[in-house]
Amino acid sequence: LPWHDDLRKGAVMTALSEKPARFVLNLSGARIRRTSLKRANLTDANLEAADCSYVDFTGANMLRTRLKGTILVGADLTDVRNLTCEQLAQAIFDRTTKLPSYLSDMSPSSGQ
């Protein structure tokens, strides 16, 4: 390979940008039941209309995660960070959903 010869001569490969690549997860409409997303960084992720029944989100970062119509029945949201009442109010969850302690007073909803 041509670049291989350059590396042997002491050439240095540099990144095209100083900023690290930023990937945003899009699982809109996906069926990911009984999956583990423990400690996942779900910042800005799109989970709209996804079936996340019984998914383990323990310790995940849900900053600005889109949850409109997301099914969270039986999901474990224990110790989830940055989840707001507004986000959760758009999701579908029931009494089997384990909510983080700071949202434990929310009533089950039908996703608005």
Side-chain angles (χ1 to χ4, degrees):
L1 299 170
W3 58 268
H4 187 269
D5 290 334
D6 289 339
L7 288 175
R8 284 189 295 159
K9 294 176 186 171
V12 177
M13 296 180 74
T14 58
L16 297 176
S17 170
E18 294 297 318
K19 295 180 182 178
R22 184 164 160 357
F23 299 97
V24 176
L25 183 65
N26 183 353
L27 293 173
S28 176
R31 184 172 185 250
I32 58 169
R33 300 171 62 110
R34 301 185 190 279
T35 303
S36 176
L37 291 174
K38 278 185 174 182
R39 295 180 298 280
N41 183 0
L42 300 174
T43 299
D44 295 318
N46 183 355
L47 299 179
E48 290 184 354
D51 184 353
C52 298
S53 300
Y54 303 97
V55 169
D56 185 354
F57 290 102
T58 306
N61 181 4
M62 298 187 87
L63 181 67
R64 296 184 306 269
T65 301
R66 295 165 52 187
L67 296 175
K68 185 174 183 178
T70 304
I71 301 170
L72 295 172
V73 172
D76 188 349
L77 299 167
T78 307
D79 297 326
V80 163
R81 295 175 290 126
N82 300 309
L83 179 63
T84 66
C85 292
E86 293 79 15
Q87 288 170 288
L88 194 54
Q90 293 184 352
I92 300 164
F93 64 100
D94 67 7
R95 64 177 181 231
T96 66
T97 305
K98 297 176 185 173
L99 299 177
S101 59
Y102 63 92
L103 294 176
S104 61
D105 60 339
M106 287 200 63
S107 299
S109 78
S110 57
Q112 307 192 16

